[in-house]
Amino acid sequence: MRPVVSRWCLIIFIFLALSAVVLAAKPSSWDDSGSISGRIVDSRGGVIQQVTVTLRDQETGIEESVNTDSLGTFQFEALHPALYYLSTEKENFQSTVREIFLSPDENHEMDLTLQIDSQLIIHERVMVIGDASQVGEIPGSAHYIAQETLEKHKLAFDDIHQILRQVPGVNIQEEDGYGLRPNIGMRGTGTERSSKITLMEDGVLIAPAPYAAPAAYYFPITGRMEAIEVRKGSSQIKYGPRTNGGALNLISTSIPQDFNISGNLALGIDNTRKLHLNLGDSYKHFAWMAETYQIVTDGFKQLDGGGNTGFNVDDYLAKFRFQSEGSAAIYQELEIKLGKTQQLTYETYLGLTDVDFAENPFRRYRGSQQDVFRSDHEQYQARYFIVPTRNVDVTTVIYRNNFQRNWYKLQSVSGTSISKIFNNPESYSAQLAIVQGADSDPDALAVRANNREYYSQGIQTVLGLELDRGETQNSFELGFRYHKDQEDRFQHEDGFQMVNGSMVLTSQGTLASQANRIGDATAWALFIQDKIERGRWTLSPGFRYENIDLLRTDFSKSDPERLTPTRSRKSGVEIFIPGLGANFEVTPTFGLFGGLHKGFAPPGPGSNKDTEAEKSLNYEFGFRLESQPVSLQVTGFFNDYANLLGADSLAAGGTGEGDLFNGGQVQVVGLEASGSSHLGERLGSSFRIPARFAYTFTDGKFKNSFESQFEPWGTVVAGDELPYLPRHQFNVSLGLEKTRWRLSGEANYVSRMRTKAGQGPIPGLEATDAYLVFNLSGEYDLRAEEKGTSLFLSVRNLTDQAYIVARRPAGARPGLPRTVMGGIRFRLGR
């Protein structure tokens, strides 16, 4: 037994000896007997629960996080003496950082007061997403184009179509090459004048008459925006009235925190000139900002006989804000926003025959020499924000938009509409010859003054309520909107004769002789939504209620004074729109999301008794990966329409009467994928190499057969594919950046589209072209120490591809040819 005892004694001896050596060598900094604790309150002294408090050891870099309890307290124990940084994070509050040097055996106690982050709350209440960091928290498909990304696209004509190429699930039909009157849809809704989506600026409906006449003949100037938000899926029900596809929100330039002057000057081909200037400042209780955006070009199309085919846009915006101190017991602010936009465009609905397109895709016929679009838009907003208690806030906006436009353009030739002529040019060769410049009889060319006035006004308010119950956090939003809008059509038609290639006025139409009517809409809307966060789950149930009254008043076309209505038609819609979204955080970098909601789009004034509202059930499921330097989002969606609506408009190749047509049952299925990465980090390169992509697959089909007077549908057979819905869309970009310079290349691919409903091989005269277009841009900072002044150059359609983007309203229309623009961007201020 002695050898065994001796061995155990030796082992114990060695263990005790080593322990003594370690204890003797241990520095005093190893004395883990200190602590840091505290209490977190708001500006009124009320405790704040569920604040994430993070403590970082500056020597080791080790971090530890805890949440405050029901008393607002937190504690870190067993700390060794060192320099620590303590930071806080809580939704709707400003983050704070404290530096703490902990002495040996010290028990450091502290009280922290957090200030309300008013601008963040306002963003959540009036914005679709809020900011880029919140995309991953949304239980549904969402995309945020931040200012840095947006600036890279705002080097040429600031075309919203080109900017939205990077967002999957967005369907685009180009028309004029510049994006002045965009055609945007989402998930197969239809694109005509962006009338099937909810369109907003700063969270306020911005279409000319969102309920009565939503076709976007006015669209906010993208060049003055600082961010763009797109939300699809179940959580979009907050932003009605249209919930089938999605919501698009353009965020205007914010008032700067300090004095700032910024802008850019640019010159380009076709005698293009652009100016964008912004200046503003903030004080203790007052802030202001003034901005102008102006662009003019002679246009890229070539009018037979000569003439301007370009446009001129002048846009002005001003903001004023009055606010209390951030530490005030009840924080309040009032912001006034005033805007005015004027546009003069020498644009036409006339396209080309395929034969002429092949010879010169940028030709314009003599029959369009009188065509011109004029518009004037005024915007007034007042937004009041108050935080009466720590967990309650109220945002109220009063708004008014006035819009007047007159598109004076060729309507028909010898009694035949221009859409019919170009749908069958062989049968209407005589009319086509006149359009091309052949002599005609007096009044052979009818040019219509599509004169319309709109207003849109209302008040909307959103109440936010934050409730924390243990591990469950609830973020309630209760919203209300009262809205009125109107479209007033007062149109006439003039007669012209083509003489030696020039159009000569031969008769002047009587005012109101082509359209004399008013469409009114009044809507009450309510929504309730709750974002429930518990553990790794986020649920977002909610519903929307819409009560809409519609009125169309017709007057005789021989009664320009509108003394007596000839007919009044009233209708109404009342609907509940429920939705549920869910997000599950599988890991801190990977999450699943899905949702189900009811889609809805109201009919317009003058709908007959057979016209139904557009309704659908919409489903989506997807996943997100956010793992630096890689992000990825993939979504599958299925929209099941009980009824799809089509509108008879000139832009769609119809008569322009605005009548609505039931499309019956439609199913749209698709896949969206987008991602980005910084390849420089992964490749170990000294260059920054940002890369991103977006892909959309969409398949939309009618599920029943019917006859329709809506020109793009016509005779529909079950299984027919929807028109103007590309099956494949792909966008990819790759950049190369150093400290002072940046290069970026981009490619856009869009597959061939039908221009009329059908199935099987697409007839040549009923299809657009598939196209692949490359863009290139670069920027160089003139000063190395800071980004203040830079030179830029951009080239769109680098290879100068010629392709057909549309066949409506009348004939083949080209995309933008190779376009070069360069200039200087500057920023001055504190």
Side-chain angles (χ1 to χ4, degrees), residues 423-470:
N423 284 339
N424 194 351
E426 292 81 9
S427 299
Y428 298 100
S429 57
Q431 290 88 337
L432 177 62
I434 296 172
V435 169
Q436 294 171 330
D439 288 350
S440 74
D441 294 330
D443 292 348
L445 297 101
V447 179
R448 181 172 296 181
N450 294 275
N451 182 38
R452 304 176 193 178
E453 292 188 8
Y454 308 79
Y455 77 78
S456 169
Q457 65 184 26
I459 180 171
Q460 63 186 45
T461 187
V462 179
L463 182 148
L465 174 63
E466 304 288 333
L467 294 177
D468 296 335
R469 292 292 182 267

Side-chain angles (χ1 to χ4, degrees), residues 394-453:
V394 181
T395 305
T396 302
V397 182
I398 300 174
Y399 59 91
R400 167 84 183 203
N401 295 299
N402 298 323
F403 181 57
Q404 189 277 331
R405 61 97 161 176
N406 189 355
W407 200 337
Y408 192 67
K409 63 182 184 294
L410 185 65
Q411 177 76 13
S412 63
V413 180
S414 299
T416 304
S417 70
I418 58 175
S419 61
K420 282 187 177 181
I421 295 172
F422 284 89
N423 284 339
N424 194 351
E426 292 81 9
S427 299
Y428 298 100
S429 57
Q431 290 88 337
L432 177 62
I434 296 172
V435 169
Q436 294 171 330
D439 288 350
S440 74
D441 294 330
D443 292 348
L445 297 101
V447 179
R448 181 172 296 181
N450 294 275
N451 182 38
R452 304 176 193 178
E453 292 188 8

